[in-house]
Every structure is written in structure tokens, then in C-alpha cells.
Amino acid sequence: MSAPAFVSSAPRTGRPVPAAGSDGAAPAPSRNGARPDDGLPDGSNLPFLEEVWQKYADDPESVSPDWRAYFEQQAAEFAAGNGDAPAAGSPFPRRTLFRPAAAAKGAAAAPRLGADVPDAVADTAALQESVDMLIRNHRVRGHIAAAIDPLGRFPEMPEELDPAFYGFTEADLDKKFSTSWFGGPERRTLRQIISWLRNTYCRSIGVQYMHIDSLRVRRWLQDRMEGTGNYLRLEKDTQLRILRKLTDATEFEEFLLKNFPGKKTFSLEGGETLIPLLDLMISRAGRYGVREIVLGMAHRGRLNVLTNILGKPAREIFREFDDDDPESHMGEWDVKYHLGYSGNYKVRGGKSVHLSLCFNPSHLEFINPIAQGRCRAKMDRAGDTHDPTGEGAGPGGERGMTLLIHGDAAFAGEGVVQETLNLSELPGYSVGGTVHVVVNNQIGFTTTSEQGRSSTYATDVAKMLQVPIFHVNGEDPEAVAQVVKLALDFRRENKKDVVIDLLCYRKRGHNEQDEPAFTQPEMYSLIRARSGVREGYLSRLLERNDVTEADAAEIAEHSRAKLEAELALAKEEPKLEEQASLEGVWAGFHGGAEADEADTAVPDETLKALLKKTCDLPEDFTPHRTLSRRFLAQREEMAAGQKPLDWSAGEALAFATILTGAGPAGEGPGGHPVGPMMLRMTGQDAERGTFSHRHAVLHDSENGRQYLPLRHLSESQAPVAIYNSPLSEAGVLGFEYGYSLDTPDGLIVWEAQFGDFVNAAQVVIDQFLTSGEDKWHRLSGLVMLLPHGYEGQGPEHSSARLERFLTAAAESNIQVCYPTTPAQCFHMFRRQALRRWRKPLIVMTPKSLLRLPAAVSELSELSSGGFQNVIPDATVDPAGVTKVLLCTGKVYYDLAAAREERGVTDTAILRVEQLYPWPKEELKSALADYADDTPAVWVQEEPENMGAWRFVLATVGCGKLFDRFPLSWVARPASASPATGSDKSHKLEQAKLMNEAFAGAA
Ligand SMILES: Cc1ncc(C[n+]2csc(CCOP(=O)(O)OP(=O)(O)O)c2C)c(N)n1
Ligand SMILES: [Mg+2]
């Protein structure tokens, strides 16, 4: 008899292997007429089998001969005592398909081998052991033999998957062995076992999951894959839906090529299955309750995804190709295949899923953490977040989902991929599992896989997680449907990432002008022989009579007509329509050059009370003795007004007042109520602070319990989250930038451990933070705290590369500040939160100043005034001033100390606390009282080619400052590296700097 299809063996050919349902097995009857939203059957195929059994039980003639023979055989085996006891009403004992109660039963049944065991029993046991190994090796290594490459280039079948490797011969094929330990039926022939294994592990799906430590998770996957032969029976209208989506994808690419010859489209041809994959995935996610999906993807197929998934009207894309509106985007905006979009995807049951495709730069894979950060922000807002303190709601990831689409070369090559994967299960970053889809066209630009990675698969980096990786043949959309279902079920069940490696090919060159045969002649001769993904699937459907030629023609005609109509509209009206960005949570916020003002002062008594609250600990909480004696005790004194505030207190008060909405009541500019605002702060040591100054999270020294006083300020306060981040810069900064994109109404802060480590996040700074508003009209109010200052700690712990931020500063894109007092720190944070102007804020933050007795503020400085962009010098009489030193940040204290030490009285020292936007007016008025032609000297501790000097010079021009003050500078000599590694050399240099600054002073 030919066995039912779910045990048919798999030939290894270039074409995907037809599976269950395709060879005459009874079609699956629909269950109660109910269908999931996406038409995919629910659960494994057990219900289906039970229904076939029921039909057979009612009338054996009503099922196909295959099924009849199968049931007869099962009944015979059971009668002979070989089968499991059937479940009531069904010959399929559940454990044949699901997890067996094998441990107890198998142990009892297994023969115990000893010296007195007869040879025949020992031989049988040895054979059984070989079968066990064969099964296990298929689970571990079956993917290597899977027919996943549509180009038919398979690696050699691993020996351990070959029955001959274990000494089996033809003669053994009909011998029976137990598979119950592995979740199979009690006894099956070797032939059946091989078929079962090959179907599950070596057809169009290759799966890597045996690296997962949890037995529960492995079994969960086994149940779903082995119980179904890793195949999903699709209903007819799901097949049609796949065909429709494939057709739309194919027609779109052909339409672009025909109508816009010579233009770059980064065509999806060869990987069109991505479109039905996304369609099935979004529909199923929607059915599972997901309401928001944040997508991140690079160039490949992006236009196709934009129109066929995000719902961007094709006419918009055609207009962008025509580019007939040059006036609209002079000096700004981005190329069409980087543009984001958002839209609603209708799923069944009248529901829809909101899709947000992030704007992204060319830099591959850097969108990953950004998309996850956006998703986390949405989830936090909806209370859909896992909170490690136990104060948050639920396990998270019910409403929100991140879907990242990658390229094979980039996924294997870019380190930010690993950084993002590492975030996936951390309490501060988890989004309940990201779905990764690698559009694996087996090439990167002109680079082959052999040149591009040392790993077997492009996805191997993801094996660092305890998650399955599904490799699937992109020319088998039905296998893709099974993988989508497995992936989403896995995510829902485990709240972890999951990876789909969609094996396909790239029909053309990297872009449409490239000739791929220059570099990949053999690969491209294989590609040219392919008939196309849609064609291949259509012919399978036709072969199986699942659709008619007429159906297919109508689908194609419909798709083309839609595109023609869109093109006509684009020609009629070439003007581009931009999606509005300042809606929803962004309503009322603005970017541009005009900043609004905010009143940042907070009454004295409120400040005292809040500062006191940051020292209040639960009765049963024992802080570390030193913290108790120093940090907390001193803060209590500050709260009582007995001691000036240090930096830590200024910062804590900024946070506490923002969280509680303290300050002048009423409305902010633009009529928006100013209330409690949330705070999220992360960084490698953000909880304690790199320099042990913050202690935002306290640890009970007896039991390690953590306590975040800022979470216990008032009943009505906003949420606060302060997390130590993993050791990453690009990944974590990207995440926070993403978070800020969806949280205009909160303060989002990232702190670098030392400022120079920001180097490792440069892509996020250049490609997103400083240019995002210009390129995409998307705003961010992210704050970056970068410890900076020359204190003898060497080339890498001195500079946060201030100059780089100043080079990137233009069009009021960012704010760059270098505050010098706790009060300035306080007002700066509050201004950032309270203004409706959303701009990234880059702050050079102190190290030694954190404890410098001079760097303190009185409470009155917080309860009055605001952030001063320039701090004038009120300590000297302007009439006697013969020189003005201009500086920013920490060097002010060095200069002030040197002035005092030298008894100098004729030199004023002005602090520029905000370098960008350059505070021209404030500086002018701070200088107003000094006599014309008083020399002004910019003093900085950074080498001349670093720090702010060259920016200042370029900004104020070469002539006299404000046409009044001749300008010169004092700095360390230009240098290739930021600072010396010798502490003594540093001190010498610093002394020299002071000498030069005060040369000629009296
Ligand atoms: C960080 C970065 N490095 C290099 C590039 C240039 N580049 C653009 S596409 C590409 C090949 C990408 O290959 P793959 O990830 O497999 O995607 P595919 O184009 O094949 O879909 C390269 C090298 C880039 N955009 N970003
Ligand atoms: Mg590729």
C-alpha cells in the first residue's frame, strides 16, 4: 500500500517536495465551518485525522483506499498487541502524535541487558538503539539534508542520516521498531520511520532547534512538527490568497521594470514569497490579538512590501520614480526605498493590525534595535510589558510585535544583529519575541556566502538564543505557511524571538543595472532556468486541480489593472503626498528651528519634599552602610536646606519633578497640559552611575532586594524605568532612539559609561539621531549623557568627541550642552521634557565635577530662573576687565581656580553652556558690558582640532566677535589622539593651558 502522505518519503530535487494532501489523500474537511482568520488549520493535524477516522468508522468506503488500508493496518496491529491503546472513539492514541507517556512505560518495556541476555534479544536491542540514533540525528541534523534551496544546490547528505551508516540494509526496512520514546507510535517499520523522519525534517523545511536546552520547548516543537510531518493542509481559499499575493508581488516588480526602466528598484524577484509570508503572518498575529506591528527592513523588496503589505498607494511610489516635484525636497528627504509608512491591515473579524514600517537608512541592520525600541514604547504605553520588579503587567508581547526583515549577507555580517538579539530577553528591552525573516537570496551584492560568512547558515548568530530557526524553501509557499504558523505559535507560547530563513534567489543583479553573471555565472545559469516563484506555485495548484487557469488569469489581470489605474493617477497629479507625522501621541509637538520656552523652576518646598522622598526607604530595607552614612545622609541634609545640592541631587530633582508633574501648574505652550511625564533611563551602569554618584536603584545589603525611590514619589506620578544596559552602544542607543520615536511625552535618556564609547554608536548618531528630522521628518527628544573632561584618564576616557556632534549640527537638528552646575543640569532636563520642541539633546556630563565642592547649587537656583545658555561672569567688575575667557564645561572650574590662585582680577570667565544652537544673543548680552577691543580668548582643554573651537570659529567668523572683541584661542596642540595616557603629562599640559589662558593677566 502507499502510505498516507504524511509518511511519504522525500525525494531531494530542486523543486520543493509535494507533501500531504497533494497525492490523493482525502482532503481535510472543514471543521464546523469555522476557520481561523488566515485560513490555516489550527493545531496539528490530529483533528483532521480524527475526522477522517470518524468517516472511516461510519463508512469505510467513504475514505480513500490509502486511508482505508492505513486504518485496517492500525486495527490489525492493535489486535496483535503492537499498538497503543486507542483513545476513546479514535484509533489514534494522542501520544502517537503528541508527547508520549513514554518515560514510565518505555522504561518498563525496555529489555534489561545483562550477562544472561540471549543473543537475539541483544541484537534486537542494538538495532533499536540504532533506530533511536537515526531518529535523534534527524532531529539534530535533518536540516542539512532538507530541500530548502530552490536552486537545488544541496550539501552532501550527512552520513548519520543514512540508515546504512548504522548497518541497516534493505532487509531491515520492514522490521518493526519502537518509536514511542520519541513520541511516535509504539511500533513502526523502519521504512515508516525513515519516511516519517524525512518528511518532517528533510523536505522543504529544515529546522534547527536541538540547541534549545529546555526539554519542554523541544518537545513542544516536536509535537507540532513530527505530528504533522511538518506540513500544513491549506484550504482552497488560503491557496488562492497565497496565489493572489504572489501575483501582486510578481506583477508589481514587472510593472516597475517595464514602466521605469533604468531605475533602481531593489527588486524582490526570486523572493516574492515574502509577500504571502507577511500576509499570512500579519493575519495570524492579528488573530492572536496583536494590534500593532513595528516592521524594520532594508532595501530588498521594500517597495513591494510598502505597497502590497503596508498599503502605500502604488501611485505614490510611481510619483517618487517620476520625481517631478524637485522643489519639494531641496536638501532633505530620502530615497524611496528608505521611506517608512504606516497603515492598517485588515484581518478577519472586522479587526485590523496597525503596521508601522520604520524609516531607515542605507546602513543595513541598524534598524533592528530601533524597531524594537519603538515596539517596546508602544507596549509600555499599552501596559503590555514585562516588568522585572513585578510591578508591571503581564508577560508582554500580546498586543505588540516586532517584525524584522533581513538580508542574508547583512544578518551574518553586521554586529548590530547580535547586539539586538542579545536585547531580546532582557527585562528592560524585551518585546515579547521578535519575528525575524531573512530574505535569503544567497548572495550579498556580489559577495557569495562562502566569502561572506564562516558559519553554515546566514542565521547562525541567532543560535545564541534558545529559539528555533526555520529554513524554508521560498519556492514552496505552503511550507512557508507551515513555518509562519510554527513561528507565531512559538512566539506566543514562549515570548521569545523566532527566525525564519526564507531561501530564495535574486533574479537580477544587486540592483537592476548590475550584471550578476559577471561575478556569479554558475549561480545565474541556475537562476535563469527557474520559471519564477508564482509560475512554480501555480503549476502545482493546477496539477492538483486546486485552481483553474481561468482563476489564475483573472487574478493576474486584476493585479495589472490596479497598477495601470494607479499609474494613470500618478501621471494626472505628480505631486507627492507625505503621510502626516505629528499625529496621535505626537499631536502638539513640533520640530523645526523655532524652540518654544518652558518655565522650569519649581517651588522650594516641593523640591525639598521630593528630594527627601528620594532618601525614604522601606522600614525593612537595609542600604549599604557607606551609602547610608554618606550618600543618603548628605542628601537628607540637602533636602533640609542645610547643604548645597550636588550634581546627583540636581539630576534626581529634575527626574522627580518631571515624574510628578511638579512645577508651575497649568498649561504649557500651545495649550498642552503639563502633567507627570514618564522617564526611561538606560546605560551600562545607569542605575548606580559610572562614577557611583546616582544610586537611583538601591540594593538591600542583606538580601539584594532592589528599590527605586523614584518609583515611590506620589500616587499619581508617571512610570519610571531605570535599567543597566548590556555592554552595547549601537544596539542600545538605537533602541532608545526607537523608544523616543514613540514617546514624545516622556524623557528618554541614554548614558554612555564613558563619553568616548559613543564612538561605537556612531551609525545611530549620524544616520538616525542627527539626520532623522531632515531625511524623514521624524522627531526625537532623546537625551544622550556623555561623560567628558580632561582628567588624566588617557586617550579613551577623556573625550566624548564633542567636535563630532558640532560638525553634525545644522538646521537646529540637535542641542549640544555642556552644563557646569547642578542647577543647570536640573533646568536642562526639565526644559527638555517640558518644551514641546522635540530635539535630541547631547550633553557632555561631568566626572570629577560630581564631587567638586565648587560645582554645587543652592535650592534657590532651582526654584527660580531657568537654563542659562550662557553664564555671564558676575564676580568681576566689567570696568576693570582687560581680557575675557570664553569656555564651556569643566575647564571653567580649572580656570576659576587658576584665576583665584593667581589673584587675577582683570579677567572675566564666561561659560557657554549650550553650544548648539549657538546662543548668539545671550553671548552678546553677557559681553555687553566689556569695553570694545577687549581680547576674547576661547579656552578649551581638548586639542585644537577637537572640542568646540573650530566650530566656534566657523560660527562666529574670523573677524572680531560681534565686531567688538578680537578673538583668539588657547587649546592643547592639535593631536591625533584625544589625550595623553600619562597622568603627570596631563597635569603639565593642564598647567600650561592655564598659563596661556592667563598670560598677561593681572
Ligand atoms: C552597513 C552597510 N554596509 C554595506 C552596505 C552596502 N550594501 C548595500 S546592499 C549590500 C548587500 C546586502 O546583501 P544582503 O544582506 O544579502 O541583502 P540583499 O541585497 O541580497 O537582499 C551591501 C553590501 C550597506 N548598505 N550597509
Ligand atoms: Mg542577499
Side-chain angles (χ1 to χ4, degrees), residues 266 299-300 362-366 406-411 414 439 441-446 506 510:
F266 295 112
H299 55 288
R300 178 75 52 213
S362 180
H363 287 51
L364 297 165
E365 300 296 339
F366 282 88
H406 313 267
D408 53 310
F411 196 74
E414 291 290 339
V439 179
N441 53 22
Q442 312 189 64
I443 191 165
F445 212 142
T446 65
R506 191 188 67 195
H510 174 63

Side-chain angles (χ1 to χ4, degrees), residues 151 153 269 300 441-446 505-511 514-530:
L151 300 179
R153 301 175 305 172
E269 290 160 295
R300 178 75 52 213
N441 53 22
Q442 312 189 64
I443 191 165
F445 212 142
T446 65
Y505 55 88
R506 191 188 67 195
K507 186 172 172 189
R508 302 175 196 279
H510 174 63
N511 65 55
D514 282 335
E515 172 49 68
F518 287 163
T519 48
Q520 273 77 28
E522 287 168 327
M523 184 182 194
Y524 273 81
S525 69
L526 291 173
I527 290 173
R528 277 193 292 270
R530 310 305 305 163

Side-chain angles (χ1 to χ4, degrees), residues 153-186:
R153 301 175 305 172
F154 302 117
E156 223 164 82
M157 159 94 83
E159 273 184 299
E160 64 268 40
L161 300 187
D162 183 352
F165 179 73
Y166 304 89
F168 289 118
T169 64
E170 284 281 325
D172 297 313
L173 286 178
D174 292 314
K175 286 190 184 146
K176 289 195 169 169
F177 296 93
S178 169
T179 55
S180 63
W181 176 248
F182 294 92
E186 186 68 19

